[in-house]
């Protein structure tokens, strides 16, 4: 999924073709991943109602006649990062906003928290255009109540433009896309027209299993799990064979993930496999194991092995 072109060797598709990288930044659970999926028209970034679902920097590519926009979905910046993994996520989020052509700060309609404020302070340090996307406006019954909120916000914060969007209902996205495109540099595309991400199928397979853990498991347990792909190969019959390990921190967690008679693990595997087949456009044979590794989220070597790098 990553047939990257050499921009220096390609002519512009037309004289005003624009191409650039855009960070979607925000605190956890404001809807960045849903927004990314809506903007590229493809379900790439995993989504759950839980905060901190996104753990990696994920690139989603949108192509149209006007240009190519490379959106970066970032882990949410959050305070109180006590574990090594949480500190890694914060570093990844800060790194993502430091090397882009434009930043879209995503907030929730009617809310601007201390975490939003901390992110804004980090954005001000970057000398790139910044837009504000107020998401989840479909949940606000009284739209007029938004006016004093925005007035107070803009009195203290400077954005090039403000956009009201609903990522879930796909509202306000065309206007946001146009505002982004007109601020990107004129240059050739970096990726081919059929590319949607720079991530491998192996990475995406792990994410789809982890998505089911976020959706199926209760309370804090999803945050104690991660997924490692041990094998990803295409068999002669055209079926993708995938072996994945679900790592947990304690034996009691392993029992919960497996479930009574293996029922929970079976549902997780079945749902993940269906999403994989849709994304990879071929049949998938998925085998899951659950293993215990105490303190994996505080083990820097384990985190590096699992791809939690800056």
């Amino acid at each position: 999924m990553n047939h990257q072109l050499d921009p220096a060797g390609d002519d512009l598709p037309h004289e005003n073709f624009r191409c650039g990288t855009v960070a979607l930044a925000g605190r956890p659970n404001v809807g960045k991943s849903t927004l990314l999926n809506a903007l590229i028209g493809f379900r790439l970034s995993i989504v759950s109602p839980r905060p901190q679902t996104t753990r990696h920097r994920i690139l989603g590519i949108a192509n149209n006649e006007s240009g190519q926009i490379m959106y970066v979905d970032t882990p949410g910046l959050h305070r109180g990062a006590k574990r090594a993994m949480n500190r890694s996520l914060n570093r990844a989020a800060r790194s993502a906003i430091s090397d882009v052509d434009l930043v879209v700060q995503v907030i929730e309609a009617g809310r601007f928290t201390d975490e939003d404020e901390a992110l804004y302070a980090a954005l001000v340090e970057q000398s790139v255009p910044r837009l504000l996307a107020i998401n989840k406006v479909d949940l606000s019954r009284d739209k007029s109540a938004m006016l004093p909120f925005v007035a107070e916000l803009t009195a203290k914060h400077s954005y090039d433009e403000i956009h009201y969007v609903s990522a879930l209902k796909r509202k306000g996205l065309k206007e946001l896309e146009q505002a982004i495109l007109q601020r990107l540099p004129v240059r050739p595309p970096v990726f081919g027209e059929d590319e949607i991400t720079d991530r491998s199928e192996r990475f995406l397979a792990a994410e789809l299993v982890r998505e089911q853990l976020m959706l199926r498991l209760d309370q804090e347990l999803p945050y104690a799990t991660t997924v490692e792909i041990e094998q990803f190969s295409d068999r002669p019959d055209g079926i993708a064979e995938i072996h994945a390990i679900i790592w947990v921190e304690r034996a009691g967690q392993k029992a919960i993930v497996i479930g009574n008679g293996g029922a929970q693990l079976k549902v997780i595997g079945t749902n993940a496999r269906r999403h994989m087949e849709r994304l990879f456009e071929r049949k998938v044979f998925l085998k899951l194991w659950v293993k215990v590794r105490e303190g994996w989220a505080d083990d820097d070597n384990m985190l590096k092995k699992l791809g939690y790098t800056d």
Side-chain angles (χ1 to χ4, degrees):
M1 288 196 177
N2 54 343
H3 310 132
Q4 193 164 336
L5 301 176
D6 175 10
D10 278 38
D11 294 327
L12 287 169
H14 57 75
E15 64 179 1
N16 199 35
F17 189 93
R18 294 172 184 270
C19 176
T21 307
V22 177
L24 302 177
R27 62 178 169 80
N29 220 30
V30 293
K32 298 185 299 297
S33 296
T34 304
L35 181 59
L36 170 73
N37 292 342
L39 286 166
I40 68 172
F42 195 88
R43 192 180 184 281
L44 172 66
S45 207
I46 66 170
V47 175
S48 88
R50 296 176 179 275
Q52 297 172 37
T53 298
T54 301
R55 289 181 180 173
H56 302 271
R57 172 192 173 280
I58 295 175
L59 186 77
I61 304 156
N63 291 293
N64 61 42
E65 289 183 2
S66 301
Q68 182 176 88
I69 308 174
M70 297 172 284
Y71 291 105
V72 181
D73 184 15
T74 63
L77 271 175
H78 53 96
R79 292 181 169 181
K82 297 177 181 178
R83 311 200 74 178
M85 185 183 71
N86 297 120
R87 292 193 294 273
S88 171
L89 300 191
N90 273 352
R91 287 196 300 272
R94 290 185 180 278
S95 172
I97 64 176
S98 67
D99 189 28
V100 294
D101 298 295
L102 182 148
V103 176
V104 178
Q105 181 172 7
V106 186
I107 67 169
E108 200 173 342
R111 294 188 67 199
F112 197 85
T113 69
D114 289 344
E115 286 179 314
D116 294 314
E117 190 68 62
L119 174 60
Y120 176 80
L123 298 185
V124 171
E125 297 173 7
Q126 310 301 320
S127 58
V128 296
R130 55 181 175 271
L131 307 181
L132 179 68
I134 302 176
N135 192 26
K136 305 184 184 181
V137 293
D138 53 305
L139 301 180
S140 178
R141 290 183 180 179
D142 183 9
K143 299 294 190 287
S144 63
M146 195 76 67
L147 297 175
F149 165 73
V150 174
E152 184 180 352
L153 190 60
T154 53
K156 301 175 183 176
H157 306 82
S158 174
Y159 296 97
D160 290 56
E161 277 187 22
I162 296 175
H163 289 264
Y164 302 88
V165 303
S166 168
L168 201 59
K169 300 289 179 66
R170 297 176 181 255
K171 293 183 177 178
L173 302 186
K174 285 187 178 179
E175 294 82 0
L176 176 60
E177 183 181 70
Q178 285 304 311
I180 290 170
L181 275 169
Q182 67 188 36
R183 290 172 173 83
L184 294 182
V186 173
R187 69 180 188 201
V190 175
F191 291 89
E193 285 184 22
D194 60 340
E195 298 302 304
I196 54 165
T197 185
D198 62 345
R199 289 292 193 171
S200 67
E201 289 184 334
R202 191 184 188 98
F203 170 84
L204 296 171
E207 285 288 274
L208 289 172
V209 175
R210 196 168 62 78
E211 179 178 46
Q212 292 305 314
L213 297 173
M214 300 296 287
L215 292 170
R216 296 283 309 174
L217 303 178
D218 293 333
Q219 299 172 351
E220 295 303 306
L221 184 51
Y223 301 106
T225 66
T226 194
V227 179
E228 179 183 8
I229 301 298
E230 240 192 358
Q231 177 186 325
F232 192 124
S233 58
D234 282 309
R235 303 192 322 206
D237 59 6
I239 295 174
E241 183 166 342
I242 303 170
H243 297 183
I245 299 171
I246 298 170
W247 290 101
V248 297
E249 294 188 304
R250 296 191 298 275
Q253 296 169 341
K254 177 178 178 178
I256 294 170
V257 174
I258 293 172
N260 189 17
Q264 178 77 284
L265 189 63
K266 184 177 180 180
V267 174
I268 289 168
T270 299
N271 291 347
R273 177 179 55 78
R274 285 175 181 160
H275 284 299
M276 287 178 196
E277 289 181 339
R278 202 171 300 137
L279 181 60
F280 302 152
E281 297 181 334
R282 58 192 186 278
K283 290 288 186 183
V284 169
F285 173 81
L286 175 63
K287 182 71 176 174
L288 298 177
W289 289 267
V290 185
K291 297 185 180 182
V292 179
R293 176 71 174 262
E294 289 186 19
W296 68 261
D298 277 316
D299 183 336
D300 286 326
N301 289 330
M302 184 72 170
L303 291 173
K304 189 173 289 188
K305 179 186 176 187
L306 293 167
Y308 293 100
T309 53
D310 296 358

